[in-house]
Amino acid sequence: MSEVQLPPSYNPKEVEDKWYKIWEEKGLFEPTYDPQKPKFSMVIPPPNVTGSLHIGHALNNTLQDVLARYKRMDGYDVLWIPGTDHAGIATQNVVERELAKEGLTREDLGREKFLERVWKWKETYGGRIISQLKRLGASCSWSYERFTMDEGLSKAVKEVFCRLWEEGLIYRGDYIINWCPRCYTALADLEVEFEPKPGKLWYLKYPLLDDSDFIIVATTRPETMLGDTAVAVHPEDERYKRFLGKKLKLPLLGRIIPVIADKVVDPEFGTGAVKVTPAHDFNDFAIAQRHQLPLIKVIDEYGKMTEEAGPYAGLDRFEARKRVVEDLKKGGFLLKEEDYEVVLGHCYRCGTVIEPLLSKQWFVKMKPLAQPAIAAVEYGFIKFYPESWKNLYFDWMRNIRDWCISRQIWWGHRIPVWYCESCGEILVSREEVLEFCYKCGSTALKPEEDVLDTWFSSALWPFSTMGWPEKTKTLETFYPTSVLVTSFDIIFFWVARMIMMGEHFMGAIPFEKVYIHALVRDEKGQKMSKSKGNVIDPLEMIERFGCDALRFTLVALAAQGRDIKLSVNRIEGYKHFINKIWNAGRFVLMNLDDLKKEDLENLEYEKLPLFSKWILWRLNETIKKVREKLEEFEFDQAAMAIYHFFWDEFCDWYLEISKIYMRKDELKKSTQVVLYKVFSDCLKILHPFIPFVTEELWNFLPFRDEENLLRSSYPREQVFNFSKEEKALTETVINIITAIRNIKSEYNLTSMKDIPVIGIFDNEKIKKLEDQVEIIKALSRSETFSIFESYQKKEGEIMVLIEGGGELFMDLSKYLDFEKEINRLKREIKKTQEKLEVIKRKIENPQFLEKAPLEVIEKERRAFEELSQKLERLKDLLERIENSRR
RNA sequence: GGGCGGAUAGCUCAGGGGGAGAGCAUCGGCCUUACAAGCCGGGGGUCAGAGGUUCGAAUCCUCUUCCGCCCA
C-alpha cells in the first residue's frame, strides 16, 4: 500500500481555489513566445464591466477554456486575451440608477463629475466578473487583460475614427434614427427589439382643399399626423388615381399637403392610402427623400411634442395621442377605430418604446467595408461552425445599412471632433485637445458632445487588445486569432463588425474560425432572465456541485446547432462522475506500491494479458475520438467519449479485472503500469474539461512529465496492434459474465457464489477461454466455471445462450422457480421471434438481396443464422422444462 | 410577410439511411476493503402526424400541427 491517503469523497471547495492560485502565480496561463511552438490565440468576448457571471458566460468561457487548455497541452503557445467592455448605455444606466437613489440626475453632477462616478463604480464592481471568471477556472492570459476604455484601446478607437473619416467612410447628417427618450440617445437599428403589442388602428378622414371629397388613411400612431407632409398611395391603385396631384387639408392643423404616388405603399394595408410623416417613420422618411417633401419634427428628444405640433406642444407623446384622437373625433375626422396588433420597437437596454425621429448623427458607410468581409467568408478564410450560421451572416452583410455610431450619452469614447464656430469647419483630430481651427485659425472651437457606440470599440477588440495601432510583438505573433467562440445573438453586433474592421485596418481576418455555441435556456426552453426568475446562477451551481461538475455539464450539453436547456439535476448527475474519477484515482494510487519509473518505460505490450491490451486499445481509440471531436468543436461528443471510456470501460471492467491480475506475481507489475498509464492519460484527456479534480489527482501521481497537469502533454494516438481475434475474445468474456449476472439477478441470487456454471464452446474457443476463467469467476461471482465441448443438460439446470456462439448451464435446482423460468423463456422466445421476423422479411426480399451492400446482406444472414439457432434451442428448452414439470 | 431551428424514454438531451441511446427519475438485488455520490440487473419509446423517395426511413423530401428564434 502506498502512503497516499485520500478522503473517500472529493471536496471541490478546498481544491479549486488552491489550484487556480497556483496556476496563476506560476504564470502558467501566459504565452511563452517560444519560436518553436505553433501559436493558438483567442480573444474573450468581453463581458460588460457592470455584469456578473451568468450561465451564458459560464458556457462561453468553459468552451474557450477547453480549447485553450487542450491546445496548451498539445504543444501550442496559447494566448487567451481576457477583458471587459465598458457597455456605454448599460453602465450609464446603472450608475444613473445609483444616483437616483440619492435624488440626483447626471445633469445635476455635470459631465465631468458624472464620469468620475462611473469610473469609481467601475473600479469597485468591474473586478467582480473577472474574479468570477477565475472561479470558473478560465485560464486566460491575465497579464493581457484589457478594458475597452483603456488608454491603448481608446487610442485605437480614435485612430480608426480618424482614418475612416479621412477615407470618406464616416459622415454626419440629418437622418431618421431610432431614439430612446429614456436613455436620451440614438440607437443603431440592431439595438432595437421589436415586439407585437395590442394596439389600435385609427381611420382618419383627410378632406380635399375644396372639401369636395376626402381620402381615408389608416394609422396606428395618430399623434404623428401633426407632422404629416403628404398622403401616399400606390401608383397603380385605381381607387386613388383621381386624387393624384391634388392637395389635402390636414385636419386639426390645416396644413396643405399633396397626394403622391409611391410604389412602397401597400394597397392591401388599411385603406391603401397612408399618411406620410417623414420625421418620425423610416418608410416615410424614404418616401420624403424621393419626393422632396418637407420634414416636420413634432416629437422631441424627450418624447414631448414640439412647437410644430401647435396646440399640442409640450405634451408627452402618449398624452398627445389621446388628445389628438379626441379632437379628431370632435371634428368628425375620425371614422373608425379598430383593434390591431402593432409591432413596437423597444430600447434593448431599458425597454422604453423607441421614437423614430429626425436627428443629426454620425454614420459609417458600411457597403465598402462589408464587401471584403463577405469575401473572407465566401472564400473560406473564415469558417463558421456550425456552417449554417454563415447564411445568416451573408444575409445581413449583403443587405447592410449604414451604421449610426453616435450616442448622446456620456460614458464612452468621445467622438474626436470639434466644430469651428468661426468658419463652421468640422475638425476631426487625433489630438487630445484641439487649440485652433486648422482651416481659419480661430480658437473658438466647440467639441463634439457625443460618444461612440460601444460596439465601435468592440469591433476592434481582436487587434486593439494586442496593441494596435502600434506594431507590437503580440500582434505579429498572435494575429489573426485562431478561433472566436461566441453565441449567435451577437453575430451582427460583433462578429460581422470585427471581420469588417479586421479586414480594413489589419488587412487580415481577425480569426480563422468562428464557433457559434447555443444559448442556454431554462428547462422549458425560455430565455433565462431575472424578471422571469428562471435563472440558474453558475456561481451557486459551483458552490453546490463544484466547478468541474458545472463545466462538464455545460460541455456535455453543448451540441452544435441547438439551444441548451439546462436543468439542475443534470449538473448533479455529472458531479457523480467527478467523484467517480476521484475514487478511481484513490484505487490506482493505493495499488501502485513501489512502482518505479523504469517499470513504466519497460512495459512489453506483447506480453500483457488480454484485458490489459484491451484497455490500452480502448484508451487509444478514445484519444483518437476526443481529439477528432475537439478539432471539430463537437464538445459534447468529446466529453461523452471520455465519460464512457472512463466509467464504463476503465472503472467497470478494467479496474475490477486488475484486482485479479494484481494477485498474480507475474502480472502484478505490468498491471500496475497499465493502471498508471491509463489513469494518468485519462487525467490528461479530462483536464481541459474538468481542470481542478484532474490537477489535484495529478499532484498525487508519483511520476509526472510536468509538475502541473496544465502544462503536461495531451495524449496522442498511437499505432496499435489489438487483433480481431482478441477483440472477439474480450467480447465473449464480457458476454459470459453479463449472462451469468443476468440470470443470477433474475433469480435474486446475486450474493450466491456456489452456483456452478458450465460453459459449452467449440474446441478453439475453449483454449482461449482457459486463461479467462478466473476473470469470469470473479466478475460473475461464481466459485466454479468449467468449460466443455459438449454437455448433456441435467434436470434443474437452465441454459443461456451466449452472443457470438456458446452456451451456459447453471444449476438452479435449489432455487428454480418453474413459473418464472417458463416466463423468462417465453419472453425470450417472443423477442427472438420478432427480431427474426424482421430479418427474415429482409433476406427473403429479392430486391434487398439485389440492391443492398454485400456486407449488410452478410450481416443480416449471420444474424438470421444466430437467431434461428437461438430460437430453436430456446423452444427446446421450454419444452423440456414443461415436460419435466409434468 | 420572409428565413432558420426544434418535436426521440416520466424529465433533460444525444444520434442522423441497415438491429432505438445517455444522464436523472423509477423498479429489483447487493455495505463485493476505490467509490452507497457506489455496484449488478430490470422495466419503460407506433423517434409529433400524414404522404413520398428507397430493397430498407427516427434519419432524406413534401405537407400539416405545435414550440422557439432571427429578419422585415
Side-chain angles (χ1 to χ4, degrees):
Chain A
M1 273 282 187
S2 151
E3 288 133 60
V4 179
Q5 288 296 328
L6 300 181
S9 64
Y10 172 61
N11 184 347
K13 270 184 202 151
E14 293 166 16
V15 168
E16 291 172 2
D17 290 341
K18 174 182 78 179
W19 281 113
Y20 201 89
K21 214 174 273 169
I22 293 172
W23 293 329
E24 200 182 353
E25 275 165 11
K26 285 187 176 174
L28 298 179
F29 305 150
E30 302 299 319
T32 58
Y33 289 86
D34 178 348
Q36 303 297 313
K37 286 185 166 184
K39 306 292 179 256
F40 183 86
S41 58
M42 293 185 292
V43 288
I44 203 170
N48 290 355
V49 72
T50 55
S52 62
L53 193 83
H54 59 62
I55 199 81
H57 294 128
L59 172 68
N60 178 252
N61 289 291
T62 298
L63 296 179
Q64 288 176 80
D65 196 45
V66 169
L67 292 174
R69 287 177 187 267
Y70 162 57
K71 289 292 176 182
R72 199 179 287 120
M73 288 175 75
D74 204 25
Y76 285 76
D77 193 18
V78 172
L79 171 66
W80 179 17
I81 300 182
T84 47
D85 190 292
H86 67 279
I89 299 173
T91 309
Q92 174 155 327
N93 284 352
V94 171
V95 177
E96 280 187 300
R97 239 174 285 147
E98 290 265 301
L99 283 177
K101 283 182 203 156
E102 302 164 29
L104 292 170
T105 65
R106 64 171 155 138
E107 283 81 9
D108 294 339
L109 266 71
R111 188 165 190 140
E112 212 170 304
K113 281 268 176 329
F114 178 75
L115 287 179
E116 270 173 34
R117 268 299 278 262
V118 184
W119 275 107
K120 217 172 97 192
W121 198 89
K122 185 252 166 192
E123 295 313 322
T124 318
Y125 298 103
R128 185 174 56 185
I129 192 143
I130 295 300
S131 62
Q132 289 169 336
L133 282 171
K134 293 181 178 179
R135 190 78 188 78
L136 188 69
S139 64
C140 303
S141 314
W142 291 111
S143 71
Y144 288 78
E145 186 187 336
R146 296 291 183 271
F147 174 54
T148 46
M149 296 263 284
D150 279 352
E151 203 178 316
L153 275 68
S154 300
K155 198 174 163 193
V157 166
K158 205 178 279 181
E159 181 65 28
V160 163
F161 186 94
C162 292
R163 278 205 213 170
L164 288 174
W165 169 262
E166 287 152 13
E167 290 164 339
L169 291 173
I170 279 184
Y171 61 92
R172 182 179 187 239
D174 284 302
Y175 291 91
I176 186 153
I177 45 96
N178 300 291
W179 183 269
C180 174
R182 213 233 37 97
C183 297
Y184 199 79
T185 182
L187 296 173
D189 301 334
L190 277 178
E191 291 169 319
V192 180
E193 285 172 352
F194 291 92
E195 213 182 307
K197 287 256 171 77
K200 295 232 186 294
L201 194 60
W202 283 274
Y203 290 80
L204 314 183
K205 188 165 114 181
Y206 284 21
L208 279 177
L209 216 49
D210 59 4
D211 272 329
S212 63
D213 205 347
F214 57 86
I215 286 185
I216 302 166
V217 296
T219 181
T220 58
R221 300 194 56 199
E223 72 282 10
T224 62
M225 62 87 60
L226 302 169
D228 283 0
T229 55
V231 165
V233 297
H234 193 275
E236 310 292 314
D237 196 333
E238 292 301 329
R239 293 173 294 176
Y240 296 108
K241 275 209 165 142
R242 62 198 166 90
F243 285 99
L244 288 177
K246 299 240 167 96
K247 303 277 192 230
L248 300 168
K249 194 165 64 191
L250 187 66
L252 305 183
L253 295 185
R255 185 183 301 137
I256 294 163
I257 60 173
V259 179
I260 57 168
D262 198 292
K263 283 199 298 264
V264 298
V265 179
D266 175 10
E268 304 292 315
F269 175 79
T271 59
V274 295
K275 53 194 275 312
V276 180
T277 321
H280 297 287
D281 184 282
F282 282 86
N283 286 325
D284 295 0
F285 183 80
I287 294 174
Q289 300 252 292
R290 286 193 284 273
H291 298 268
Q292 283 89 45
L293 298 174
L295 313 171
I296 299 175
K297 191 163 156 185
V298 290
I299 301 170
D300 71 8
E301 281 71 8
Y302 293 98
K304 293 205 162 39
M305 307 312 285
T306 66
E307 292 304 316
E308 295 281 1
Y312 306 94
L315 288 178
D316 175 79
R317 52 185 170 152
F318 296 113
E319 181 58 26
R321 174 178 299 173
K322 280 187 210 151
R323 296 275 291 273
V324 166
V325 169
E326 261 169 47
D327 293 348
L328 284 168
K329 203 179 280 175
K330 275 187 216 151
F333 297 109
L334 181 67
L335 291 184
K336 68 171 170 176
E337 189 180 307
E338 59 187 36
D339 289 330
Y340 187 77
E341 188 172 78
V342 285
V343 181
L344 288 179
H346 295 79
C347 172
Y348 85 139
R349 286 301 177 209
C350 75
T352 303
V353 175
I354 289 300
E355 189 58 47
L357 53 80
L358 193 65
S359 174
K360 190 166 285 214
Q361 301 289 343
W362 290 89
F363 296 86
V364 179
K365 273 188 205 162
M366 298 306 277
K367 282 244 150 52
L369 292 170
Q371 215 240 329
I374 292 169
V377 177
E378 269 174 349
Y379 291 128
F381 297 121
I382 298 176
K383 283 177 82 178
F384 278 84
Y385 294 81
E387 211 185 342
S388 56
W389 288 112
K390 79 178 183 195
N391 297 326
L392 189 72
Y393 170 82
F394 285 141
D395 201 51
W396 190 71
M397 291 290 275
R398 285 172 183 150
N399 299 301
I400 200 160
R401 294 194 288 172
D402 286 354
W403 176 15
C404 174
I405 50 169
S406 41
R407 297 288 178 275
Q408 287 64 47
I409 54 172
W410 290 349
W411 175 240
H413 299 280
R414 195 91 175 245
I415 293 179
V417 165
W418 287 261
Y419 302 101
C420 175
E421 292 184 315
S422 303
C423 71
E425 182 71 4
I426 294 174
L427 307 163
V428 175
S429 170
R430 292 165 177 80
E431 301 296 321
E432 196 59 42
V433 182
L434 209 58
E435 301 285 350
F436 54 88
C437 172
Y438 48 66
K439 194 177 175 201
C440 72
S442 164
T443 52
L445 300 182
K446 205 171 141 258
E448 169 64 66
E449 295 277 304
D450 291 356
V451 300
L452 287 164
D453 181 1
T454 306
W455 294 103
F456 192 89
S457 56
S458 319
L460 320 179
W461 187 249
F463 49 92
S464 65
T465 50
M466 294 193 190
W468 189 88
E470 309 300 324
K471 286 200 175 91
T472 62
K473 197 178 170 192
T474 312
L475 273 172
E476 191 189 315
T477 315
F478 288 105
Y479 190 93
T481 62
S482 315
V483 193
L484 177 77
V485 178
T486 189
S487 82
F488 65 82
D489 52 341
I490 53 176
I491 290 181
F492 306 145
F493 277 110
W494 195 47
V495 179
R497 287 167 179 168
M498 278 192 289
I499 298 176
M500 290 188 270
M501 292 302 189
E503 283 280 355
H504 195 73
F505 289 98
M506 297 298 296
I509 52 168
F511 28 74
E512 287 152 6
K513 294 172 182 176
V514 182
Y515 173 67
I516 303 288
H517 64 245
L519 226 55
V520 184
R521 299 172 186 282
D522 74 358
E523 292 140 290
K524 291 177 215 118
Q526 307 224 290
K527 220 168 163 170
M528 289 190 188
S529 73
K530 274 182 203 148
S531 53
K532 281 187 204 138
N534 60 349
V535 210
I536 293 181
D537 176 8
L539 295 156
E540 188 197 323
M541 295 300 112
I542 290 173
E543 278 301 306
R544 275 174 70 185
F545 305 114
C547 181
D548 289 327
L550 174 70
R551 288 175 58 120
F552 201 84
T553 309
L554 290 172
V555 171
L557 292 179
Q560 284 188 9
R562 190 172 169 144
D563 290 340
I564 294 179
K565 285 187 226 164
L566 187 67
S567 64
V568 174
N569 78 23
R570 204 72 205 235
I571 306 172
E572 191 173 11
Y574 286 116
K575 176 185 140 193
H576 299 174
F577 178 52
I578 306 300
N579 194 52
K580 188 75 183 175
I581 296 166
W582 180 257
N583 276 292
R586 289 177 68 218
F587 174 82
V588 173
L589 290 166
M590 280 176 195
N591 284 289
L592 291 182
D593 288 354
D594 52 350
L595 194 68
K596 291 187 193 66
K597 201 154 188 192
E598 306 89 81
D599 299 328
L600 292 179
E601 284 143 20
N602 295 337
L603 185 70
E604 286 177 273
Y605 175 76
E606 287 308 326
K607 288 188 185 162
L608 290 177
L610 181 69
F611 279 90
S612 288
K613 284 186 183 175
W614 172 78
I615 199 69
L616 288 172
W617 167 63
R618 292 299 311 144
L619 171 69
N620 200 48
E621 294 293 303
T622 304
I623 290 167
K624 187 174 154 194
K625 181 134 187 211
V626 171
R627 278 178 167 275
E628 274 170 14
K629 296 300 178 186
L630 282 179
E631 291 297 334
E632 288 299 311
F633 305 110
E634 292 180 284
F635 295 96
D636 59 320
Q637 310 258 347
M640 286 337 281
I642 181 62
Y643 177 93
H644 283 124
F645 171 74
F646 192 86
W647 201 319
D648 300 346
E649 299 186 303
F650 181 60
C651 291
D652 286 351
W653 288 99
Y654 191 71
L655 285 193
E656 295 306 322
I657 292 170
S658 76
K659 292 174 186 170
I660 301 150
Y661 286 163
M662 282 191 290
R663 274 185 231 137
K664 296 178 190 286
D665 288 342
E666 73 277 16
L667 293 181
K668 185 168 181 183
K669 187 120 287 180
S670 80
T671 305
Q672 289 173 319
V673 172
V674 171
L675 277 176
Y676 184 90
K677 157 92 181 131
V678 176
F679 183 70
S680 62
D681 268 9
C682 281
L683 290 183
K684 291 177 175 188
I685 298 168
L686 283 161
H687 179 77
F689 305 97
I690 45 173
F692 295 109
V693 69
T694 48
E695 182 76 85
E696 175 74 0
L697 285 165
W698 177 259
N699 187 36
F700 287 103
L701 293 184
F703 345 99
R704 288 162 272 168
D705 50 16
E706 277 286 338
E707 191 174 338
N708 291 108
L709 180 55
L710 180 110
R711 283 280 180 183
S712 134
S713 61
Y714 211 72
R716 282 176 196 282
E717 190 196 344
Q718 286 162 10
V719 183
F720 229 82
N721 184 18
F722 190 69
S723 70
K724 225 172 161 180
E725 288 72 30
E726 286 169 311
K727 280 174 208 170
L729 186 58
T730 52
E731 271 166 39
T732 302
V733 174
I734 285 172
N735 287 341
I736 292 170
I737 294 166
T738 307
I740 299 171
R741 284 172 174 174
N742 209 315
I743 292 296
K744 283 194 171 182
S745 181
E746 265 184 67
Y747 287 93
N748 287 348
L749 304 172
T750 326
S751 52
M752 296 297 168
K753 295 184 180 172
D754 59 347
I755 299 164
V757 184
I758 292 157
I760 309 302
F761 295 93
D762 60 44
N763 203 10
E764 205 183 326
K765 217 159 213 165
I766 290 176
K767 272 187 243 153
K768 290 181 183 164
L769 277 173
E770 267 160 10
D771 276 346
Q772 310 305 326
V773 166
E774 235 186 302
I775 289 171
I776 292 170
K777 285 200 292 195
L779 298 216
S780 69
R781 320 195 72 205
S782 306
E783 274 165 5
T784 53
F785 179 77
S786 19
I787 320 176
F788 303 101
E789 218 172 329
S790 64
Y791 181 75
Q792 191 62 47
K793 183 182 169 297
K794 295 199 189 96
E795 199 158 309
E797 285 184 346
I798 69 154
M799 187 198 77
V800 214
L801 291 140
I802 299 302
E803 215 175 302
E807 301 163 4
L808 297 183
F809 292 87
M810 294 169 74
D811 184 358
L812 298 181
S813 46
K814 279 189 248 166
Y815 317 98
L816 195 59
D817 177 335
F818 283 97
E819 211 51 52
K820 220 172 184 174
E821 178 62 1
I822 286 168
N823 283 337
R824 181 184 78 88
L825 287 169
K826 280 185 174 163
R827 244 187 2 249
E828 271 291 288
I829 288 171
K830 200 178 155 221
K831 258 195 207 167
T832 313
Q833 269 170 336
E834 280 167 4
K835 277 188 191 170
L836 204 56
E837 209 38 55
V838 175
I839 296 175
K840 197 177 161 198
R841 244 178 287 147
K842 266 189 191 175
I843 60 170
E844 283 179 354
N845 182 344
Q847 279 164 313
F848 172 76
L849 297 176
E850 197 184 316
K851 296 192 175 167
L854 225 80
E855 42 181 272
V856 175
I857 298 175
E858 267 306 301
K859 208 173 119 192
E860 295 295 334
R861 283 206 169 121
R862 243 178 303 149
F864 183 78
E865 276 306 306
E866 263 178 42
L867 286 171
S868 349
Q869 270 183 35
K870 184 174 175 182
L871 184 63
E872 224 167 283
R873 280 188 277 181
L874 285 169
K875 278 179 174 168
D876 183 51
L877 206 57
L878 180 64
E879 200 178 326
R880 274 194 271 170
I881 288 186
E882 279 175 336
N883 284 342
S884 73
R885 202 156 57 134
R886 276 183 209 120

